[in-house]
Amino acid sequence: VDGDGALEIVAIAYDSTAAAGSRVHLVRADGAPYGGIWPVAVDTVIVADPVIGNVFPPDTDLEIVTGAVNGAVYAWSHDGSTWPAAPRVSGSVETSPALAQMDSDAELEVVVSSSLFVASPPPGRWEGAVTAIDDDGDVLGGWPKGAGSWAAAAGPMPSAISIGGAVEVMTGGPAGEFLSWSSLGEPVYGFPIDLAGGSSASAAADDIDGDGAIELVTVSAAEGGSIRCDELIGDYGTGLLWWPMFRHDRSRTGRYGAAVPTGSDGRAGAAPPATR
């Protein structure tokens, strides 16, 4: 995160007692504490996994980004730099944010999914939302976007993904539709996709059949559980997989810019024999 060529580890611990709070730890690769301001304490519970990318100008160091159950969205540099005030979104952030380049500057924007219980009128309902936040900690124009409502608790809103030449943000949810918006918050042609059942997992996008076109894989509770694959038509080249799956890549690094493996993970030669 500090650009010195050595890896660091980010981990979050939370206190589930009445005086709930969380600590965000930055640890060197050898297990030693990073020092300085770390660990950082906040007065709310964080259960969302952190992600890493260059959110703050003007340097190329990486920031640590996460969301909390009270709707606060946090970002820290290794030296303790942060937004003057943590932006707040509607409801609870319980899944990992996504990072995407959604405006004309060089810094990344933060995309968070959240869910809010609305008690009135009875018996109440859950509402999902997706919010895009810029490098200053402000919500981008055209956001947040509603991601449907559902009657019964069905887990948190899944993390969004971001792909495409026009930088689209996509997500599903327990309401049973898969949604897509442009960086300006406008609906995208061909969406929503009816999943015929709620989805509690993030989608994944990649050229899974090697034909040069991107496929979108989603899961649904329809028929007791199903997997759906759609080939995307339009400006969805393989070089436009900005944040193509939960925590960015198959290794779940949570780091914007980490290499996205190919279908064969770069290995050549015959497949190994099957084993039990």
Side-chain angles (χ1 to χ4, degrees):
V1 299
D2 55 9
D4 68 352
L7 297 178
E8 285 80 37
I9 301 165
V10 183
I12 298 176
Y14 73 91
D15 179 5
S16 59
T17 66
S22 301
R23 287 183 178 270
V24 182
H25 296 262
L26 185 61
V27 181
R28 299 186 187 278
D30 63 1
Y34 191 84
I37 66 160
W38 303 95
V40 173
V42 296
D43 61 356
T44 184
V45 172
I46 298 174
V47 296
D49 295 322
V51 298
I52 299 172
N54 183 22
V55 176
F56 298 162
D59 57 42
T60 58
D61 293 349
L62 305 180
E63 279 69 53
I64 298 160
V65 183
T66 189
V69 297
N70 69 349
V73 180
Y74 298 100
W76 297 278
S77 292
H78 65 91
D79 63 1
S81 302
T82 188
W83 287 313
R88 296 287 289 268
V89 301
S90 174
S92 176
V93 180
E94 300 176 61
T95 52
S96 189
L99 301 179
Q101 200 119 44
M102 297 176 64
D103 59 17
S104 57
D105 63 24
E107 285 70 45
L108 299 173
E109 280 63 57
V110 179
V111 181
V112 291
S113 299
S114 59
S115 55
L116 173 70
F117 183 72
V118 180
S120 180
R125 67 190 186 280
W126 290 87
E127 294 186 349
V130 179
T131 306
I133 299 167
D134 70 12
D135 55 273
D136 294 320
D138 299 321
V139 175
L140 286 180
W143 300 85
K145 307 306 296 185
S149 63
W150 54 96
M157 274 289 296
S159 298
I161 65 171
S162 179
I163 63 174
V167 190
E168 295 174 23
V169 173
M170 301 178 174
T171 190
E177 289 186 320
F178 192 81
L179 304 156
S180 180
W181 303 275
S182 74
S183 59
L184 300 176
E186 299 168 341
V188 175
Y189 178 78
F191 291 85
I193 298 172
D194 183 5
L195 298 178
S199 178
S200 59
S202 296
D206 207 341
D207 179 13
I208 62 177
D209 57 5
D211 68 351
I214 297 299
E215 283 76 41
L216 177 68
V217 180
T218 53
V219 297
S220 168
E223 301 177 358
S226 61
I227 299 174
R228 173 177 176 137
C229 182
D230 294 270
E231 186 166 278
L232 298 175
I233 306 301
D235 191 8
Y236 299 102
T238 54
L240 304 174
L241 295 168
W242 308 125
W243 195 276
M245 59 190 74
F246 174 71
R247 293 190 55 72
H248 185 268
D249 52 78
R250 297 181 203 170
S251 296
R252 303 292 187 257
T253 64
R255 178 188 170 184
Y256 185 93
V260 178
T262 64
S264 63
D265 290 328
R267 292 190 295 267
T275 58
R276 290 187 182 274

